Amino acid sequence: MTAQRPLVSVCVVAYRSAPFVLETLDSIAAQTYSSLELIVGDDCSPDDTAALCREWIDAHGNRFVRTQLITVAQNTGVSANANRAFAAARGEWIKIIAADDRLLPTCIADNVDFVTQHPDKDIVFSNMQEFGDVAQPGRVADYTRYFTRLSAREFRLWQTVYSALPAPSSFIRRTTWQQLGGFDESIAFMEDKPFWLKALAAGVPMACFATPTVAYRIHGASIMQTRQTAVRVNARRRESDLRAARLFLGAMRRESLLLWLYGKALYAKDLGLGEGPDQGLWASAAARLLYWLRLINPYYYYFKRLKRRLG
């Protein structure tokens, strides 16, 4: 492929996505950019997700340079599923998309245009449209402000404690993903934020542009929003959350003791010792006390100032 028209691998990460995956696949086939590879990773869905993808690829596979459907015999979590899809990709760039979201028609073309004009960037984000049964119709989520209104240090601290990088819009140079060692599979249900922290620590150049390229679905049928699923995966999800918390708190501790204490206060609220779908919300008096003690931490006011600047 030429530098102007690189092969782009679109990696679809699917699990229990039968109601939406065909819409996702249609949005990929409808791209104005021609040089595309399609990789679909299904994480042992108990519904018809894999069968629907196989039938769709049989019918539309000639639109792509190459296609591959990856299935497994046991559910492994989103991080491992994404790693399998990325490892199979051959494109210079990888566009990841969840199997309930949609690519806007010029998504790949817009991203390729941007990285062509900014060849020093290895991970690129963009704004996103929101849709779905619990979304505000037509709303565009603006992420460029994190890149334009915060200094490099402010951006890094914000990302460590909160989050400023929209995974559904990410466009990643494949060699960068390889060099960083992929997604952390020990954090089974969160592939994105640990990877962004690793990229920031390694000094990977990132950027964000204002054009919306992805339609991000917000809906009540998400597998993590149903009580039945929450009970079933609670132990695995909780272990994943705790591993993520340890990772983030470690990054905060390396920055400063005060930031670590602020982070501990936030996690005390959400990661207490309770059981069940709520996973420990206000699990103990100690957790509640630690959470309220954030009000005397200088980082509480530091982030309040940043929030005002971000609008």
Side-chain angles (χ1 to χ4, degrees), residues 34-54:
S34 60
S35 185
L36 293 180
E37 172 185 64
L38 175 66
I39 309 294
V40 180
D42 179 67
D43 197 21
C44 194
S45 295
D47 62 9
D48 295 333
T49 299
L52 289 170
C53 291
R54 187 173 292 108

Side-chain angles (χ1 to χ4, degrees), residues 178-215:
Q178 291 172 329
Q179 290 163 3
L180 290 173
F183 304 110
D184 187 346
E185 296 185 14
S186 72
I187 305 175
F189 293 96
M190 183 187 296
E191 88 289 3
D192 52 348
K193 187 176 175 182
F195 185 77
W196 308 143
L197 287 188
K198 186 161 50 172
L200 286 170
V204 173
M206 302 179 183
C208 183
F209 61 96
T211 304
T213 66
V214 171

Side-chain angles (χ1 to χ4, degrees), residues 16-307:
R16 291 184 59 177
S17 306
F20 310 111
V21 68
L22 296 182
E23 188 177 350
T24 300
L25 294 172
D26 286 343
S27 77
I28 300 169
Q31 289 298 295
T32 59
Y33 192 83
S34 60
S35 185
L36 293 180
E37 172 185 64
L38 175 66
I39 309 294
V40 180
D42 179 67
D43 197 21
C44 194
S45 295
D47 62 9
D48 295 333
T49 299
L52 289 170
C53 291
R54 187 173 292 108
E55 291 172 5
W56 190 94
I57 289 172
D58 287 344
H60 303 279
N62 59 359
R63 185 262 181 262
F64 301 96
V65 173
R66 175 177 170 268
T67 63
Q68 184 173 351
L69 172 63
I70 302 171
T71 60
V72 289
Q74 182 176 357
N75 178 263
T76 58
V78 64
S79 298
N81 194 17
N83 273 339
R84 289 190 294 271
F86 274 52
R90 299 177 183 174
E92 181 179 341
W93 290 88
I94 298 177
K95 175 75 198 96
I96 188 172
I97 186 74
D100 58 353
D101 296 335
R102 297 191 309 234
L103 301 186
L104 299 181
T106 62
C107 171
I108 304 301
D110 289 339
N111 276 284
V112 170
D113 286 347
F114 186 88
V115 298
T116 300
Q117 296 165 18
H118 303 84
D120 59 317
K121 305 304 181 186
D122 292 328
I123 300 178
V124 172
F125 303 89
S126 61
N127 287 342
M128 302 189 300
Q129 288 183 1
E130 296 179 358
F131 75 111
D133 55 10
V134 294
Q136 180 179 337
R139 180 179 182 270
V140 174
D142 176 23
Y143 290 89
T144 59
R145 68 188 191 275
Y146 295 103
F147 290 79
T148 59
R149 301 181 192 177
L150 300 179
S151 69
R153 180 177 183 274
E154 289 168 343
F155 180 87
R156 178 171 51 81
L157 292 179
W158 183 276
Q159 181 62 27
T160 301
V161 178
Y162 299 104
S163 184
L165 298 174
S169 76
S170 59
F171 195 68
I172 303 171
R173 196 184 297 273
R174 181 167 59 89
T175 53
T176 298
W177 173 83
Q178 291 172 329
Q179 290 163 3
L180 290 173
F183 304 110
D184 187 346
E185 296 185 14
S186 72
I187 305 175
F189 293 96
M190 183 187 296
E191 88 289 3
D192 52 348
K193 187 176 175 182
F195 185 77
W196 308 143
L197 287 188
K198 186 161 50 172
L200 286 170
V204 173
M206 302 179 183
C208 183
F209 61 96
T211 304
T213 66
V214 171
Y216 175 62
R217 188 186 300 270
I218 303 175
H219 60 95
S222 169
I223 64 166
M224 286 306 166
Q225 294 178 7
T226 64
R227 176 170 293 273
Q228 179 182 5
T229 302
V231 170
R232 181 174 57 81
V233 304
N234 185 58
R236 290 180 63 205
R237 179 63 188 254
R238 181 165 174 74
E239 177 60 27
S240 177
D241 288 348
L242 289 172
R243 287 178 180 270
R246 285 194 288 268
L247 173 69
F248 304 146
L249 287 170
M252 294 176 210
R253 182 66 183 85
R254 288 190 292 274
E255 180 69 29
S256 78
L257 178 60
L258 284 173
L259 183 61
W260 176 76
L261 288 171
Y262 179 71
K264 288 278 284 187
L266 298 183
Y267 285 119
K269 178 183 179 223
D270 294 327
L271 294 172
L273 300 176
E275 300 295 337
D278 291 337
Q279 298 198 13
L281 188 65
W282 298 129
S284 67
R288 181 185 289 269
L289 175 62
L290 184 57
Y291 179 67
W292 286 111
L293 284 175
R294 82 196 191 286
L295 299 176
I296 64 171
N297 191 303
Y299 275 99
Y300 173 80
Y301 301 96
Y302 173 81
F303 286 115
K304 283 190 70 172
R305 290 194 298 272
L306 294 188
K307 288 175 183 177

